[in-house]
Amino acid sequence: MKRHVICLGDSNTHGYCGAQEGETLCGGRFSEAERWPCLLQRALGEEYLVIEEGLCGRTTVFPDPLEPGLDAISYLRPCLLSHTPVSLLILMLGTNDTKERFGLSAEEITRGMERLARQAMSEDCWGPGGPDLLIVAPPAIRPEVEHSPVAAAMGRGCAEKSRQLAEHYRRLAARLGARFLDGEGCELNRVDHMHLTQAGHAQLAARVGAVLSDPATGTLGQ
């Protein structure tokens, strides 16, 4: 059996395709030749099955009062059980939690990620011997978002909270004994300033692949 790798995330895992500078948002999706989980599959090879679990608007554990069914904690257990045995779970979430309507601080968002991560690592999901865990801090939302087409949806303060997540997630991963990757520097589009470009997807896939192939982090479980 192949080693199963689940990429659980939001629109940047789904592959939401924001347009480039000078264009409007198209609301489409990058192709299988462009999305970072698909590129990761290509890099890992035939011994692995990379499973895309990206949902636009997904949060860590906080229910959205306007869009039901978007919190990852509600979906986590059935997702993991559907794809068991899972060798690696990659969590890249937190961007949507920064929306002003949630009223959350970066510390509170991190507590949500911790709850999600601990649930994933708990034995009641599948019994002894759960998956390895990689926590990815999403690229920080750019301040220009407040003058973008998504300004009303995101609200004020999201860029600053997003910028703070990486260090909080780094400390969380250390506490949990999980792997960590900071996605900062992966290219974002210049329309909404929060979604990966085609180049950004390729950059993120390369970084995740490098973390997984680093001997210092060990081999994947199961």
Side-chain angles (χ1 to χ4, degrees):
M1 179 182 291
K2 297 183 179 183
R3 295 183 177 184
H4 293 181
V5 176
I6 297 179
C7 304
L8 185 64
D10 52 29
S11 51
N12 271 327
T13 298
H14 176 79
Y16 177 88
C17 180
Q20 302 304 304
E21 186 175 12
E23 302 176 2
T24 57
L25 292 177
C26 61
R29 189 182 188 189
F30 285 112
S31 73
E32 288 77 8
E34 300 167 306
R35 299 194 298 268
W36 74 262
C38 298
L39 297 176
L40 179 63
Q41 171 72 80
R42 188 183 307 169
L44 292 178
E46 292 299 317
E47 293 183 6
Y48 294 87
L49 176 63
V50 177
I51 300 158
E52 296 180 282
E53 285 287 357
L55 176 63
C56 295
R58 177 174 276 153
T59 64
T60 55
V61 302
F62 304 101
D64 191 318
L66 301 181
E67 297 287 343
L70 296 183
D71 55 297
I73 194 73
S74 300
Y75 181 64
L76 180 65
R77 191 169 190 272
C79 173
L80 293 173
L81 290 175
S82 293
H83 301 296
T84 191
V86 180
S87 293
L88 173 69
L89 173 64
I90 302 175
L91 294 175
M92 189 172 79
L93 290 163
T95 298
N96 291 297
D97 304 61
T98 67
K99 291 175 180 176
E100 185 180 13
R101 66 174 177 260
F102 287 104
L104 300 167
S105 66
E107 291 84 356
E108 289 168 328
I109 295 169
T110 304
R111 287 173 61 188
M113 176 62 86
E114 180 169 6
R115 181 182 166 202
L116 185 67
R118 288 191 182 279
Q119 176 67 23
M121 299 170 74
S122 67
E123 293 187 2
D124 66 349
C125 277
W126 40 56
D132 287 340
L133 179 64
L134 170 61
I135 296 175
V136 181
I141 301 170
R142 302 295 180 255
E144 293 88 346
V145 71
E146 295 191 6
H147 305 286
S148 78
V150 299
M154 295 303 297
R156 296 169 296 179
C158 61
E160 176 59 22
K161 287 185 284 188
S162 175
R163 185 188 64 79
Q164 297 173 22
L165 288 180
E167 185 56 34
H168 287 295
Y169 281 13
R170 187 190 309 275
R171 295 174 186 172
L172 171 61
R175 290 200 304 273
L176 297 176
R179 307 178 200 219
F180 171 77
L181 172 66
D182 187 355
E184 185 59 26
C186 293
E187 185 179 78
L188 301 179
N189 74 53
R190 297 183 181 181
V191 176
D192 63 24
H193 306 281
M194 58 185 291
H195 285 103
L196 294 166
T197 63
Q198 180 181 353
H201 276 267
Q203 292 163 350
L204 182 58
R207 290 192 189 184
V208 172
V211 169
L212 301 185
S213 62
D214 185 353
T217 65
T219 57
L220 296 184
Q222 294 193 21

